[in-house]
């Protein structure tokens, strides 16, 4: 019989698995359909539209050799290569700068970021990306994603001295919908409004749920008059739609505030949306189911 102090089994040698340091990945945030994560090799990687670029992006606003990323094994640097339309980090034009995971890089209309990842993380990234960027109820972009993706649009409009338009949309008397027909009916109304806006907007317009019963759109490449026509078209589409829950028709309309700015007069996206919110409030004060804008 063994002594209490005797060892019953002798453990084998400790096996140490080689540690794998996180490596930087270039993440495409916008356009969403182009989402991908590109692992960066140590050294220099040229981003551009031409065949000579290491990482090619099909965007007419991106130069053939637009900028380069350089990873020295510790940090990632971005350097502009004399591009026609500039390289931007968090909305500001840069020529040489260190990047971290909080920065948003804009070249052309594309928005990208750097993230450091272990190999084991990569398999889950697509699912996590969709969960982080999509509103779970309406299945359209969420507020944070809208702000991220707007950076490239605003920077492009400033460079080209063109208009950018923010539309804030609010479901009229939404509390009454919840109180009268229940929260399931309210959820149905929000989902159908989101789908109507998604169907009616242009492919290039950004759409997101901004919070509660509010939605936001960002329009570029058109003037004030066309933006007003587009906003009115959204209002009419919701007004004409038949909302029905448990065979009961629910009257639904929306109010909209439209804020337009041009070139150097374009503020941060949060300020532009705040202006649209002020105009939305005026539309509600005037009776709802209408568009309010400034001349």
């Amino acid at each position: 019989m063994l002594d209490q102090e005797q060892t019953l089994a002798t453990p084998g040698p400790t096996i140490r698995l080689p540690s794998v340091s996180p490596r930087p990945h270039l993440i495409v945030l916008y356009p969403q359909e182009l989402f991908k994560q590109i692992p960066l090799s140590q050294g220099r990687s040229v981003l551009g539209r031409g065949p000579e670029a290491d990482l090619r992006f099909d965007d007419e606003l991106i130069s053939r050799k637009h900028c380069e990323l350089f990873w020295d094994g510790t940090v990632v640097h971005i350097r502009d290569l004399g591009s026609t339309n500039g390289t931007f980090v968090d909305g500001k034009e840069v020529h040489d700068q260190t990047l971290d995971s909080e920065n948003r890089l804009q070249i052309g209309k594309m928005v990208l970021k750097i993230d450091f990842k272990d190999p084991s993380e990569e398999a889950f990234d697509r699912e996590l990306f969709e969960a982080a960027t999509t509103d779970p109820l309406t299945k359209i972009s969420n507020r944070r994603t809208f702000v991220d993706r707007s950076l490239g649009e605003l920077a492009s409009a400033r460079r080209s001295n063109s208009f950018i338009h923010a539309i804030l949309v609010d479901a009229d008397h939404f509390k009454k919908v919840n109180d009268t027909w229940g929260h399931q009916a309210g959820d149905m109304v929000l989902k159908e409004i989101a789908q109507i806006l998604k169907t009616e907007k242009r492919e290039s317009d950004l759409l997101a749920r901004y919070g509660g019963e509010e939605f936001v759109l960002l329009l570029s490449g058109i003037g004030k008059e066309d933006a007003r026509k587009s906003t009115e078209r959204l209002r009419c589409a919701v007004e004409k739609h038949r909302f029905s829950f448990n065979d009961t028709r629910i009257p639904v309309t929306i109010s909209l505030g439209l804020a337009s700015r041009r070139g150097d007069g374009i503020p941060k996206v949060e300020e532009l949306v705040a202006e649209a919110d002020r105009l939305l409030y005026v539309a509600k004060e005037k009776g709802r189911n209408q568009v309010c804008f400034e001349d």
Side-chain angles (χ1 to χ4, degrees), residues 134-141 191 194-195 198:
T134 304
D135 174 61
L137 176 66
T138 61
K139 306 304 180 185
I140 62 175
S141 296
K191 288 190 284 188
Q195 288 309 304
K198 185 176 180 180

Side-chain angles (χ1 to χ4, degrees), residues 21-22 24 42-43 70-76 116:
S21 299
Q42 193 161 340
F70 184 83
W71 181 39
D72 62 7
T74 305
V75 296
V76 177
F116 285 82

Side-chain angles (χ1 to χ4, degrees), residues 138-209:
T138 61
K139 306 304 180 185
I140 62 175
S141 296
N142 60 24
R143 180 173 180 163
R144 170 62 189 272
T145 305
F146 172 82
V147 172
D148 280 349
R149 293 174 182 167
S150 68
L151 293 173
E153 297 290 340
L154 267 63
S156 177
R158 291 188 188 105
R159 288 196 303 269
S160 60
N161 193 34
S162 57
F163 276 105
I164 200 89
H165 314 274
I167 304 171
L168 198 62
V169 181
D170 187 84
D172 294 330
H173 302 296
F174 186 70
K175 184 178 184 300
K176 183 179 178 180
V177 173
N178 282 331
D179 292 345
T180 305
W181 291 281
H183 287 278
Q184 285 187 330
D187 287 349
M188 178 276 296
V189 166
L190 293 178
K191 288 190 284 188
E192 293 197 12
I193 289 177
Q195 288 309 304
I196 294 168
L197 299 177
K198 185 176 180 180
T199 299
E200 293 295 326
K201 77 178 186 68
R202 300 176 305 161
E203 185 177 352
S204 59
D205 297 338
L206 304 185
L207 166 67
R209 185 179 180 190

Side-chain angles (χ1 to χ4, degrees), residues 16-37:
R16 297 187 180 277
L17 296 175
S19 60
V20 180
S21 299
R23 64 183 295 188
H25 287 65
L26 182 65
I27 312 296
V28 178
L29 298 177
Y30 177 78
Q32 185 173 9
E33 62 271 17
L34 298 181
F35 169 80
K36 55 183 163 182
Q37 49 186 5

